[in-house]
Amino acid sequence: MKPQSYAQTAEPSAPVRYKGWVVAGKLAITLLTLGLLWHSVVADAATAAAWRGLFTRTLGGQGRGAVLAALLLMPLNWGLEAWKWWWLARHLEPVSFRRSFRAVLVGLTLGFVTPNRVGDYAGRIMELKSRRLDALGAVFLGRYCQLVATVAAGTVGLLYFLLRFYLPGYPAAQLGVVVLTLLINVGILLPLYHSELLVAAVQAVKPLRRFSQYLAVMPTYPAPLLTRILLISGLRYAVFCLQFGALLWAYGVQAAVGPALAAIAGTFLLKSLVPSLNALADVGVRELSATHLFGLLGQPVLPVLSASLSLWVLNIAVPSAIGLIFVLRLKVLRKRRPASSPPI
């Protein structure tokens, strides 16, 4: 499959006077990120306790293998995200996997300090040399594929809890939630393969009409490529579940595998459905969801809380700190070049 490419005329480089603002912006992002990391990992008592527990179990005998497995899965997690972005970005311009990985880390760091992680968009598009506006639609498409995987697994997980704990003895209601689960999954999968419907819906709503130009690139992605990206999203979701499961086991959670997976899937779904002000707000949503669902399984709060906080530290806090290295080296102002088609 040959990625599409559209030539773009070169634009003059930005005036030198703007470079000072770029440097100031990078320093501001660095200081803000470090401040949030300190507040969340060190100053916050709950996260600091979980972090100390993580080190204790890593250095000691208790849970060492499980914690090390979760640590080793961290680069695989973000490597899969970089692979997904590589497929999305090369549809727009020639791009290497190394640049894709760097873009993901930069986006993660910028998303750490922005509402609802919108900085992830900026981080990725600034790593491209052309078609940056189209890249907004590409980033949205990648996040939507990840949402499809999260909803597919999460609705099944929550269905387990509804049928077992909330609706026993109500067969009509049980049938209703099963049908609703199927409809939700069909409803969220349909716009992925028929994104022209989504673009048309955005154009029909006047306040959202200005965003339609950014989503116009989505229908140009062929179905086989979308399926590949969806499969990668599913693999990444599985890595998340393995990490969470390993940390839960390390902290002493002893729920059966099936119900534990349902609780993990339900936790991820509830977290993804709640908008957040920044990455720190995700922590509260995930912890509240996890402790409630695992509480229904008879598990104590503290081990679940510690495992969930440790998962956030491993997958968000640590990679965000690493991404600062690339933020400081990021070329925000660059002269655009015509995009040429990469080799098949």
Side-chain angles (χ1 to χ4, degrees), residues 288-310:
L288 182 62
S289 305
T291 53
H292 174 70
L293 294 178
F294 278 96
L296 292 175
L297 300 178
Q299 300 302 309
V301 171
L302 185 58
V304 175
L305 181 65
S306 299
S308 185
L309 288 170
S310 298

Side-chain angles (χ1 to χ4, degrees), residues 40-66:
S40 59
V41 179
V42 179
D44 183 77
T47 311
W51 191 229
R52 288 194 298 269
L54 182 65
F55 271 114
T56 301
R57 284 162 174 77
T58 303
L59 299 176
Q62 182 184 3
R64 177 190 298 176

Side-chain angles (χ1 to χ4, degrees), residues 47 81 91 106 114 139 141 152-153 165 225 238 269 279 289 294 303-304 320-321:
T47 311
E81 179 63 21
H91 184 76
V106 170
T114 52
V139 178
L141 186 58
F165 294 102
L225 179 55
L269 175 60
S289 305
F294 278 96
V304 175
S320 294

Side-chain angles (χ1 to χ4, degrees), residues 95-144:
V95 61
S96 65
F97 179 79
R98 180 180 178 181
R99 271 179 55 205
S100 299
F101 201 102
R102 184 174 61 195
V104 166
L105 288 180
V106 170
L108 178 64
T109 302
L110 297 181
F112 185 82
V113 296
T114 52
N116 211 27
R117 304 187 64 81
V118 295
D120 183 43
Y121 287 82
R124 299 195 190 198
I125 66 175
M126 283 191 293
E127 282 287 349
L128 296 179
K129 299 178 181 178
S130 64
R131 302 191 64 192
R132 288 181 167 182
L133 293 182
D134 286 338
L136 289 172
V139 178
F140 177 80
L141 186 58
R143 295 180 73 170
Y144 191 84

